[in-house]
Amino acid sequence: MTTAPTGPEPRTNPERATPKTRTPGERRLLGGLMANSLALYAIYGAVPAVLLANLVADVDPDSKTTSLGVISAVGAFGAMLANPVAGALSDRTHGRFGRRAPWMAGGSLLGGLSLIALGLGNNLLWIGVAWTLAQIFLNGLQAPLTAVIPDRTPEHRRGVFSSAAGLAQMLGATLGTAAAAAFANELGLGFAVFGVLVIIGTAIFLLLNKEPAAHAPEGGPFRWKTFLAGFWVSPRRHPDFAWAFAGRFFLILGYYCVFSYQLYILDDYLDLTRDRANHLVPLLSMAMLPGMIVMIVVSGPWSDRVGRRKPFVIASSIGMAVALALPLTLRSEASMFAYAVISGCAFGMYMAVDTALMTQVLPRPDEAAKDMGVLNIANALPQALAPAVAAAVIGVLGGYSALFVAGIVLVALGALSVLPIRKVR
């Protein structure tokens, strides 16, 4: 494992004593991490919502909704499996180029080429295979990239790096979606641009932050049975890990259950016209953005200074619950904008400290990428499940009021789940 604490050793509590200035090595690591995350999440914002949707509509206009749903589901399943597997394989990688760098280089190159191939697709099978391969390879990049924080930063600086990663992810997804609109009539060029972008972003990181050579891991020769068994992390032996997984799962599910149904909430719950609802959805997203950015930038370094993570997660959960309660009690456009502003602030705070908290509950530092990949399931799975869970709540429990209540309950469970964690304050 590569451990390179940057900055002077703290003389007192390492969680509280934070260096005021960053070393050149820390600045390079921070800049490279942001560049790579920005490029990667630009793809996640641009491709599913814009480029892929337009490509499927061109190839299969009569059944575009169903076809896009199937292709997206298969790709998401491949991504969810690839992330922890790629992370575990990188944990066991050794050689002159280190553990993470070979997987990041290979994942970005093959992922970028898959995107270029996707842009050449003229039938659904080609599109489905190319997008699934792109998801698999890009998660081969994402898993070791996520492990950079626990690998190469001290605990008392992880709030800063968590904030930087969260900011880059949010900006990448937002800017990627906006930039993709310019390629609506040149889809092949659009896929190629984003494919090259992720290759360049990864190259910047690897050139600025060369990883030392890694020795062969302990534990004997590679065996598939042992490898696969390693993905199970016992809640009894590692309760902090299990509680962190549950907290992330519930909070993300509660947030996206409502967020993913904003259009239908405006249309059916507020009884607006479809045109009015479509006009308001991007405005609600814009209303979320300023507070989200501010809280991402502020909360991570703040959590480093006070040496605590859990109060920020609990505060963000309370903020989300308050935001969800507003349209539940006040059915109006104004209440939806208030929901957007408050939930944006709350989710920004959560994004700023979530990664830092997760890195502090890992069972084994030498398997950081694998365990971070497992924890990433608690992020990806609820986003995939959210539309189905929301539909079930609305249909079975009685409409959109029940959906807001369910969201409040879920984010409250997310807050309660972090309370039993012992390793993190």
Side-chain angles (χ1 to χ4, degrees):
M1 173 179 149
T2 303
T3 54
T6 52
E9 287 292 327
R11 286 178 289 182
T12 55
N13 185 345
E15 291 188 351
R16 289 181 178 274
T18 304
K20 293 182 178 180
T21 59
R22 288 187 284 271
T23 65
E26 190 176 58
R27 286 194 291 270
R28 287 196 302 270
L29 187 64
L30 194 65
L33 179 67
M34 291 192 70
N36 213 165
S37 297
L38 190 75
L40 180 61
Y41 279 83
I43 292 172
Y44 293 158
V47 174
V50 182
L51 299 180
L52 183 63
N54 276 286
L55 184 60
V56 170
D58 289 345
V59 172
D60 186 22
D62 295 332
S63 303
K64 60 184 180 182
T65 304
T66 302
S67 298
L68 180 61
V70 172
I71 291 171
S72 298
V74 173
F77 183 73
M80 192 167 61
L81 293 180
N83 196 291
V85 171
L89 290 172
S90 78
D91 288 334
R92 295 187 62 86
T93 298
H94 59 93
R96 59 179 295 192
F97 297 110
R99 294 193 297 167
R100 314 302 182 194
W103 289 90
M104 293 175 66
S108 65
L109 180 60
L110 293 175
L113 292 176
S114 297
L115 287 174
I116 295 171
L118 177 57
L120 303 175
N122 57 8
N123 62 73
L124 292 178
L125 179 60
W126 179 290
I127 294 170
V129 171
W131 177 233
T132 300
L133 289 175
Q135 289 269 62
I136 290 171
F137 292 134
L138 291 174
N139 274 269
L141 160 64
Q142 184 177 344
L145 178 64
T146 305
V148 165
I149 295 179
D151 275 359
R152 304 175 71 171
T153 64
E155 285 190 3
H156 67 278
R157 296 293 288 170
R158 289 182 188 172
V160 171
F161 280 84
S162 182
S163 279
L167 182 62
Q169 291 167 17
M170 187 272 297
L171 288 177
T174 303
L175 296 175
T177 303
F183 298 103
N185 296 319
E186 295 285 348
L187 296 177
L189 178 60
F191 282 110
V193 166
F194 284 99
V196 172
L197 179 66
V198 74
I199 295 172
I200 293 174
T202 305
I204 290 173
F205 177 87
L206 295 177
L207 290 173
L208 290 178
N209 303 279
K210 293 184 178 180
E211 187 178 4
H215 301 292
E218 298 179 0
F222 179 85
R223 291 185 174 86
W224 278 106
K225 183 177 180 180
T226 304
F227 175 74
L228 295 175
F231 290 102
W232 170 249
V233 181
S234 170
R236 184 177 61 83
R237 293 180 58 194
H238 304 288
D240 284 354
F241 186 90
W243 284 118
F245 185 101
R248 174 185 271 186
F249 181 91
F250 285 129
L251 194 142
I252 295 293
L253 182 60
Y255 177 81
Y256 277 99
C257 271
V258 174
F259 181 81
S260 62
Y261 263 64
Q262 284 186 101
L263 177 63
Y264 295 162
I265 289 170
L266 296 170
D267 192 2
D268 300 331
Y269 182 65
L270 298 188
D271 295 323
L272 302 179
T273 65
R274 179 59 57 87
D275 287 344
R276 179 63 177 167
N278 279 309
H279 176 70
L280 286 181
V281 167
L283 296 179
L284 289 173
S285 297
M286 290 176 63
M288 286 183 173
L289 207 54
M292 188 178 291
I293 292 174
V294 170
M295 295 310 295
I296 288 175
V297 171
V298 169
S299 300
W302 188 6
S303 74
D304 282 342
R305 285 196 295 272
V306 300
R308 294 175 178 269
R309 314 292 186 202
K310 290 196 287 188
F312 292 87
V313 175
I314 294 168
S316 66
S317 302
I318 293 172
M320 290 184 203
V322 170
L324 292 167
L326 290 173
L328 174 64
T329 54
L330 302 170
R331 190 179 298 194
S332 66
E333 291 183 19
S335 68
M336 285 300 296
F337 275 98
Y339 150 80
V341 172
I342 296 173
S343 65
C345 292
F347 198 64
M349 177 180 287
Y350 178 73
M351 289 176 67
V353 299
D354 172 59
T355 300
L357 186 149
M358 296 299 161
T359 64
Q360 293 177 237
V361 299
L362 301 180
R364 291 185 58 181
D366 59 340
E367 295 183 350
K370 182 264 292 179
D371 291 332
M372 289 295 287
V374 172
L375 287 170
N376 189 60
I377 295 174
N379 185 27
L381 184 59
Q383 291 186 53
L385 292 177
V389 171
V393 169
I394 292 167
V396 175
L397 298 181
Y400 292 93
S401 294
L403 180 62
F404 288 117
V405 173
I408 292 170
V409 171
L410 287 168
V411 298
L413 288 173
L416 292 173
S417 296
V418 303
L419 291 177
I421 296 175
R422 292 187 171 186
K423 291 181 182 177
V424 184
R425 298 174 61 194

